[in-house]
Amino acid sequence: MPFVDNEVKLDFKDVLIRPKRSFLSSRSQVSLDRTFTFPNSKQTWTGVPIVAANMDTIGTFKVAEVLAAKKCITAVHKHYTIAEWKAWATGPGREILQYVAVSTGILQKDIDKLADLLKQVPEVKMICIDVANGYSEAFVQCIRDVRKRWPDITIMAGNVV
């Protein structure tokens, strides 16, 4: 049964981030790198915790190449073919796959393509499961199924924008 939450929530306009005093003398001394160990996959990842969305015009191989130079993740859109992935992963993408997540939907054809892609490009260690309705039971079940099938891969899931 759906649940309606009526409590007040904060939005971007409601939050002020105030800098604190620093001993750094220049912005060039700032490092945004963070190290995360993901609790389910047990993977450790170091980089800047920014993810480029998996939209057709943003989540591209070219964007991944640019953002990987800054240690940011790109959720690559799901419209590339397996052949395009394989060519990219053995070419220009070879050195940056730790900054890439493969995107998928929750339909069986999406999961079949994901399985084929992970078989062809096993260096990919992140999956982005993107749906419009992140609260649906089918979505939750898909995440469970993906986790069971690929326990060592990091999963990001939800209404990804």
Side-chain angles (χ1 to χ4, degrees):
M1 164 120 328
F3 171 76
V4 177
D5 186 356
N6 291 318
E7 290 188 32
V8 175
K9 303 291 187 245
L10 296 178
D11 198 344
F12 292 107
K13 67 180 178 4
D14 299 315
V15 178
L16 172 64
I17 299 174
R18 291 180 24 197
K20 65 180 186 176
R21 194 173 305 253
S22 169
F23 293 101
L24 301 176
S25 58
S26 169
R27 290 180 293 197
S28 66
Q29 295 174 307
V30 173
S31 173
L32 298 177
D33 285 7
R34 297 292 179 264
T35 299
F36 297 93
T37 299
F38 300 104
N40 293 303
S41 68
K42 307 296 187 255
Q43 286 190 69
T44 298
W45 177 85
T46 299
V48 178
I50 295 175
V51 180
N54 60 352
M55 300 182 308
D56 299 2
T57 57
I58 302 299
T60 66
F61 292 146
K62 194 68 175 160
V63 168
E65 292 167 26
V66 172
L67 291 181
K70 302 292 184 187
K71 300 182 184 177
C72 297
I73 297 171
T74 300
V76 176
H77 69 68
K78 65 181 183 178
H79 304 294
Y80 284 119
T81 65
I82 303 295
E84 288 171 316
W85 262 99
K86 196 166 182 179
W88 182 75
T90 57
R94 183 176 57 252
E95 301 297 321
I96 63 166
L97 288 171
Q98 71 270 27
Y99 297 109
V100 171
V102 58
S103 295
T104 187
I106 65 170
L107 300 177
Q108 190 58 51
K109 67 177 183 158
D110 299 322
I111 302 304
D112 292 344
K113 180 180 177 185
L114 175 64
D116 193 18
L117 194 150
L118 293 174
K119 185 177 179 183
Q120 299 291 322
V121 188
E123 300 84 4
V124 172
K125 298 298 180 197
M126 288 187 252
I127 298 171
C128 175
I129 305 174
D130 181 22
V131 295
N133 303 309
Y135 48 80
S136 76
E137 202 49 50
F139 174 65
V140 174
Q141 188 57 52
C142 177
I143 295 169
R144 287 184 182 125
D145 294 344
V146 168
R147 168 59 55 224
K148 186 175 181 183
R149 191 165 177 183
W150 295 287
D152 299 329
I153 291 184
T154 299
I155 299 170
M156 59 182 90
N159 299 54
V160 181
V161 271

